[in-house]
């Protein structure tokens, strides 16, 4: 088994090396075949490992690969840790990645840099596998930064597009802010407990929970401090409130990238990290409150912004941001198992929605604006069917106690857990109220996307600048229009009929649709049901006082039915606005009311950050450049002492005339001076 998991983790790295270094020599097909084949191998091994863990009663184990860093007490080794958490993440990462590799055969068929693209995909997958199998903070940080690097490369894959370059830099910089907190958190853990290895650290937390740090006259609990700092890293990677601004712009990357990185894997790394560190967070009540608050606010914020977006990928991006908020506030109230369950189901239906959107963009000849779509269900029936399945799954449609799609089981468990926590905590009650409200908003914007794209009057057969919600305006995001902007549209105009995607793109959609339907009811008993203690087997720690998940199963009936009620209301409102009264959305947008403007401009976060941090950084840079560098350093250096020295040297050099009689005259003056001095001294 140890050899299998080692092969599982390193197979994508081998594919990345082959395609990245030798892609031009071996060609496109060979590069795609090697990377995709190795990912399918890793996927098969992941499901085998998951099956052994779930039904084969395999015990947790760690495979030591090689020493990493050994400096005094700071010991880190490259290892592969297999337990309930890593088994779940292995399945999520490799399944979505393998399907994205396969899907990209069709989607990237027109691109001339396929070996580079597939190499980046495989490199990302390896970094993610290193992250989720880490046995200490150092390897976790290695994977954390590795997926950040791969994300930067993939977002800016079409580097000739200025907007893609700007988006990749924005993602990189915003994540550095979070990673700074993450690094400080790791330092705090090592300072407080003298180890960064999870197996050594977690048993020390209970006894060390009372440790404090005295600063500015106050004692700060070290476990709380470490957990808050580590969570700041999760906020950046998982696009939580304040550090969320990079995620929508990341849609500049190819759509398969959006499905892999920004829906199912990398952005869930923060949720995984919080659940992995449950032995710490259980002794950090303040940190848990911070996680709950930020998660709930993110769920609300992203859901409201998603109401007013018109780019099909950006709507799904804000949907991702909102669903991540659900996962975080679940972990914040102590329902770590529910957070992981939603992470698991979300990977299927969100990857399905993103790849489905990619199919729409492909069929619409690279058009992404939903205002220029409509009536596509006739031309893309399979894509329509699977995206409808994904929409039902994300909106959590299901009958309590009977049956539902994947999102029904996981999201409802989170809402019920928040209600249970709310009986003793105001933060839990706040999360519950936000969770219910955001569920209604999720239903509205999800069905809005489906209706604008697949139903109504077709708007792709003519100039549709004034059709749909409303035409473009000056505030439209620069990255909102062209997933394949580096192409010349290959002769396709808006007058050409949409078409269904090739089979190689539809197969992954079908597989993900099965997951969106079945992942909930098949695994609910293992993740959060009767078998949850046996399934997790110590991978997730809950304190003796934490009964949230147990209490979630015994909430009042009205709580169980509330998500379905608000989701139905959201569906009916969307149908009324976009089906029964088509054009109402356009009229509402045309008014440009304050609420619409506020939501369309994403709560003005980009403008706020531009006015504060960006301008402040630019001002500070100008000060260091014009004052520090030019006036002080250059003024004292090249323009100061060096300039004087150069001037003196130039004047002195003029004494060298090259004429012999000048030199003879100077020598004569010297001799006369010496004789005069000698005669003067002799006369005394």
């Amino acid at each position: 088994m140890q050899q299998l998991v080692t092969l599982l983790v390193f197979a994508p790295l081998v594919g990345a090396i082959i395609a990245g270094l030798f892609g031009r020599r071996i060609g496109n097909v060979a590069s795609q075949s090697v990377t995709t084949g190795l990912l399918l191998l890793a996927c098969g091994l992941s499901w085998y490992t998951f099956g052994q863990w779930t039904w084969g009663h395999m015990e947790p184990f760690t495979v030591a690969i090689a020493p990493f860093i050994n400096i005094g007490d700071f010991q880190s080794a490259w290892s592969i840790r297999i337990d309930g958490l890593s088994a779940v993440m292995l399945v999520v990462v490799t399944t979505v990645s393998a399907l994205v590799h396969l899907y990209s055969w069709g989607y990237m068929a027109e691109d001339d840099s396929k070996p580079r693209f597939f190499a980046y995909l495989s490199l990302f997958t390896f970094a993610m596998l290193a992250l989720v199998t880490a046995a200490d903070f150092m390897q976790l940080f290695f994977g954390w930064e590795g997926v950040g690097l791969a994300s930067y490369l993939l977002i800016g894959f079409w580097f000739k597009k200025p907007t893609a370059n700007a988006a990749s830099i924005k993602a990189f910089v915003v994540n550095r802010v979070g990673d700074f907190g993450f690094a400080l958190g790791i330092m705090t853990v090592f300072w407080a407990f003298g180890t960064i290895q999870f197996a050594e650290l977690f048993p020390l937390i209970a006894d060390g929970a009372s440790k404090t740090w005295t600063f500015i006259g106050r004692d700060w609990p070290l476990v709380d401090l470490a957990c808050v700092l580590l969570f700041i890293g999760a906020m950046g990677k998982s696009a939580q409130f304040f550090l969320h601004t990079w995620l929508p712009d990341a849609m500049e990357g190819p759509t398969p990238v959006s499905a892999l990185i920004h829906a199912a894997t990398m952005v869930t790394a923060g949720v995984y990290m919080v659940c992995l560190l449950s032995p710490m967070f259980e002794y950090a009540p303040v940190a848990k409150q911070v996680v709950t608050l930020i998660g709930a606010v993110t769920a609300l914020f992203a859901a409201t912004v998603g109401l007013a977006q018109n780019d099909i990928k950006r709507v799904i991006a804000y949907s991702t941001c909102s669903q991540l908020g659900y996962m975080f506030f679940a972990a914040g109230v102590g329902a770590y198992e529910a957070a992981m369950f939603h992470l698991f189901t979300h990977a299927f239906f969100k990857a399905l929605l993103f790849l489905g959107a990619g199919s729409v963009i492909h069929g619409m000849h690279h058009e992404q604006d939903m205002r220029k779509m409509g009536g596509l269900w006739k031309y893309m029936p399979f894509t329509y069917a699977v995206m409808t399945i994904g929409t039902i799954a994300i909106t959590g449609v299901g009958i309590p106690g009977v049956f539902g799609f994947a999102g029904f089981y996981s999201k409802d468990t989170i809402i019920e857990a928040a209600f249970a926590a709310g009986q003793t905590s105001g933060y839990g009650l706040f999360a519950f109220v936000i969770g219910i409200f955001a569920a209604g908003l999720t239903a509205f914007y999800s069905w809005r996307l489906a209706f604008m794209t697949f139903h109504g009057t077709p708007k792709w057969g003519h100039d549709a600048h004034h059709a749909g919600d409303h035409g473009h305006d000056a505030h439209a995001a620069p990255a909102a229009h062209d997933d394949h902007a580096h192409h010349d549209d290959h002769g396709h105009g808006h007058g050409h009929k949409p078409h269904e995607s090739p089979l190689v793109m539809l197969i992954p959609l079908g597989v993900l649709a099965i997951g969106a339907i079945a992942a909930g009811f098949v695994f609910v008993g293992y993740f959060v049901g009767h078998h949850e203690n046996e399934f997790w087997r110590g991978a997730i720690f809950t304190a003796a006082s934490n009964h949230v998940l147990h209490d979630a199963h015994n909430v009042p009936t009205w709580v169980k039915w509330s998500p379905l009620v608000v989701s139905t209301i959201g569906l009916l409102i969307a149908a009324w606005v976009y089906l029964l009264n088509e054009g109402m959305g356009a009229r509402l947008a045309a008014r440009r009311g304050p609420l619409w403007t506020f939501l369309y401009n994403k709560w003005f976060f980009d403008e706020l950050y531009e006015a504060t941090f960006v301008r402040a950084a630019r001002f500070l840079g100008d000060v260091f450049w014009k004052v520090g560098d030019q006036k002080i350093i250059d003024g004292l250096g090249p323009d100061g002492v060096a300039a004087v020295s150069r001037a003196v040297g130039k004047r002195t050099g003029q004494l060298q005339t090259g004429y012999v009689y000048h030199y003879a005259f100077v020598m004569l003056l010297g001799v006369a001076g010496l004789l005069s001095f000698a005669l003067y001294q002799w006369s005394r």
Side-chain angles (χ1 to χ4, degrees):
M1 196 68 198
Q2 296 185 357
Q3 289 80 4
L4 290 181
V5 296
T6 304
L7 176 60
L8 186 165
V9 171
F10 285 97
L13 177 61
V14 174
I17 292 173
I18 293 174
L21 298 182
F22 309 106
R24 290 188 176 182
R25 292 186 179 182
I26 63 178
N28 292 338
V29 175
S31 299
Q32 295 170 230
S33 300
V34 168
T35 52
T36 306
L38 288 171
L39 250 299
L40 290 171
L41 172 64
C43 179
L45 294 175
S46 295
W47 277 101
Y48 176 75
T49 303
F50 181 75
Q52 288 296 307
W53 177 265
T54 307
W55 299 289
H57 304 290
M58 182 176 69
E59 291 301 314
F61 65 89
T62 301
V63 182
I65 304 296
F68 192 18
I69 298 176
N70 298 313
I71 304 174
D73 293 334
F74 192 90
Q75 302 290 317
S76 176
W78 187 276
S79 306
I80 299 174
R81 189 196 83 263
I82 299 296
D83 59 11
L85 281 168
S86 59
V88 170
M89 293 302 294
L90 287 176
V91 164
V92 168
V93 173
T94 57
T95 300
V96 176
S97 184
L99 293 175
V100 165
H101 273 73
L102 184 61
Y103 179 93
S104 299
W105 279 63
Y107 192 85
M108 302 296 289
E110 301 168 353
D111 199 277
D112 56 0
S113 301
K114 287 188 279 290
R116 179 166 61 91
F117 180 76
F118 280 82
Y120 288 170
L121 284 183
S122 291
L123 177 64
F124 166 82
T125 307
F126 165 70
M128 193 69 199
L129 293 177
L131 188 158
V132 302
T133 58
D136 61 36
F137 273 112
M138 203 65 230
Q139 185 178 328
L140 183 70
F141 190 74
F142 170 85
W144 199 268
E145 297 303 309
V147 295
L149 168 65
S151 175
Y152 168 79
L153 294 173
L154 286 165
I155 294 171
F157 177 75
W158 289 317
F159 54 85
K160 294 181 180 179
K161 286 176 62 179
T163 51
N165 281 324
S168 62
I169 293 172
K170 184 176 183 179
F172 199 81
V173 171
V174 173
N175 272 276
R176 296 292 71 72
V177 176
D179 292 351
F180 181 67
F182 188 56
L184 290 177
I186 296 174
M187 296 175 195
T188 303
V189 169
F190 181 72
W191 173 46
F193 298 99
T195 182
I196 60 166
Q197 299 192 32
F198 302 142
E200 297 177 0
L201 171 66
F202 294 159
L204 302 175
I205 300 298
D207 294 333
S210 59
K211 289 186 177 183
T212 58
W213 173 45
T214 303
F215 181 65
I216 57 175
R218 181 178 175 182
D219 292 335
W220 302 81
L222 275 177
V223 178
D224 264 313
L225 178 62
C227 287
V228 169
L229 289 170
L230 291 167
F231 177 63
I232 291 174
M235 288 173 62
K237 197 65 70 185
S238 297
Q240 292 300 282
F241 198 64
F242 296 124
L243 296 180
H244 65 276
T245 53
W246 66 270
L247 184 60
D249 288 3
M251 298 303 104
E252 277 294 324
T255 299
V257 172
S258 304
L260 176 62
I261 293 182
H262 309 121
T265 55
M266 187 187 83
V267 291
T268 61
V271 179
Y272 162 78
M273 188 262 287
V274 172
C275 295
L276 172 67
L277 302 181
S278 56
M280 294 178 62
F281 277 89
E282 284 294 273
Y283 291 97
V286 176
K288 288 179 68 176
Q289 291 173 356
V290 172
V291 174
T292 304
L293 180 63
I294 293 295
V297 171
T298 303
L300 175 64
F301 157 76
T304 58
V305 175
L307 301 174
Q309 303 306 304
N310 299 310
D311 180 275
I312 188 170
K313 288 175 64 178
R314 284 174 179 257
V315 174
I316 304 175
Y318 279 108
S319 169
T320 299
C321 201
S322 181
Q323 297 303 308
L324 290 166
Y326 274 95
M327 299 177 207
F328 274 112
F329 78 66
V333 301
Y336 307 100
E337 299 90 344
M340 288 300 299
F341 187 29
H342 197 50
L343 186 158
F344 180 75
T345 59
H346 175 265
F348 290 101
F349 58 73
K350 187 51 64 67
L352 172 61
L353 287 171
F354 259 121
L355 294 184
S359 180
V360 170
I361 294 168
H362 185 272
M364 285 290 294
H365 314 297
H366 312 311
E367 179 59 68
Q368 293 180 215
D369 194 330
M370 296 187 299
R371 297 166 296 187
K372 299 179 181 179
M373 298 181 185
L376 296 183
W377 69 273
K378 295 180 181 179
Y379 303 94
M380 309 180 71
F382 188 84
T383 301
Y384 169 60
V386 295
M387 285 201 72
T388 302
I389 291 172
T391 303
I392 294 172
I394 194 175
T395 55
V397 174
I399 301 175
V402 181
F403 174 75
F405 281 38
F408 163 74
Y409 293 96
S410 56
K411 187 160 70 174
D412 281 25
T413 303
I414 289 175
I415 291 174
E416 292 160 11
F419 178 84
Q423 304 307 298
T424 57
S425 166
Y427 287 90
L429 183 60
F430 174 73
F432 167 72
V433 173
I434 294 298
I436 289 292
F437 184 56
L441 297 178
T442 300
F444 177 81
Y445 69 66
S446 297
W447 287 111
R448 170 181 176 265
L449 182 150
F451 295 151
M452 287 183 68
T453 303
F454 294 103
H455 294 275
T457 305
K459 304 169 187 69
W460 38 265
H462 55 84
D463 185 6
H465 279 287
H466 300 287
D469 264 7
H470 192 64
H472 301 294
D473 59 45
H475 299 289
H481 303 298
D482 196 4
D483 196 17
H484 277 211
H486 66 304
H487 293 307
D488 59 1
D489 231 14
H490 304 280
H492 296 304
H494 289 296
H496 287 250
K497 289 185 178 180
H499 58 82
E500 190 61 276
S501 298
L503 185 63
V504 73
M505 293 172 63
L506 299 183
I507 291 175
L509 291 176
V511 174
L512 290 169
I514 295 172
I517 295 172
F521 74 83
V522 170
F523 293 104
V524 62
Y526 295 98
F527 280 78
V528 295
H530 301 298
H531 305 291
E532 53 111 351
N533 289 328
E534 180 184 350
F535 179 81
W536 295 112
R537 296 204 283 284
I540 291 177
F541 172 80
T542 51
S545 58
N546 185 346
H547 306 292
V548 169
L549 197 60
H550 177 268
D551 295 342
H553 298 307
N554 302 309
V555 297
T557 303
W558 69 268
V559 175
K560 293 181 178 290
W561 284 88
S562 294
L564 178 61
V565 171
V566 296
S567 296
T568 303
I569 293 173
L571 164 61
L572 294 176
I573 295 175
W576 183 57
V577 174
Y578 293 99
L579 286 184
L580 302 179
N581 294 281
E582 188 178 0
M584 179 182 289
R587 292 191 294 274
L588 290 173
R591 294 176 185 174
R592 299 181 179 277
L595 180 60
W596 181 88
T597 303
F598 182 66
L599 298 181
Y600 184 76
N601 289 281
K602 302 158 284 189
W603 291 26
F604 291 101
F605 261 97
D606 285 322
E607 289 79 2
L608 176 63
Y609 286 174
E610 174 70 27
T612 53
F613 300 115
V614 175
R615 289 185 182 177
R618 188 180 293 120
F619 172 77
L620 193 62
D622 286 344
V623 169
F624 281 117
W625 166 39
K626 295 180 179 179
V627 178
D629 191 15
Q630 290 186 339
K631 293 187 178 180
I632 298 177
I633 297 175
D634 288 353
L636 293 177
D639 299 332
V641 176
V644 172
S645 177
R646 184 170 60 251
V648 171
K650 185 177 181 180
R651 294 296 178 88
T652 306
Q654 291 177 351
L655 296 176
Q656 301 279 349
T657 64
Y659 294 108
V660 174
Y661 60 86
H662 284 169
Y663 300 151
F665 179 69
V666 172
M667 291 171 65
L668 181 61
L669 289 177
V671 171
L674 287 173
L675 287 173
S676 299
F677 179 75
L679 290 171
Y680 171 74
Q681 289 295 331
W682 180 70
S683 66
R684 294 178 59 188

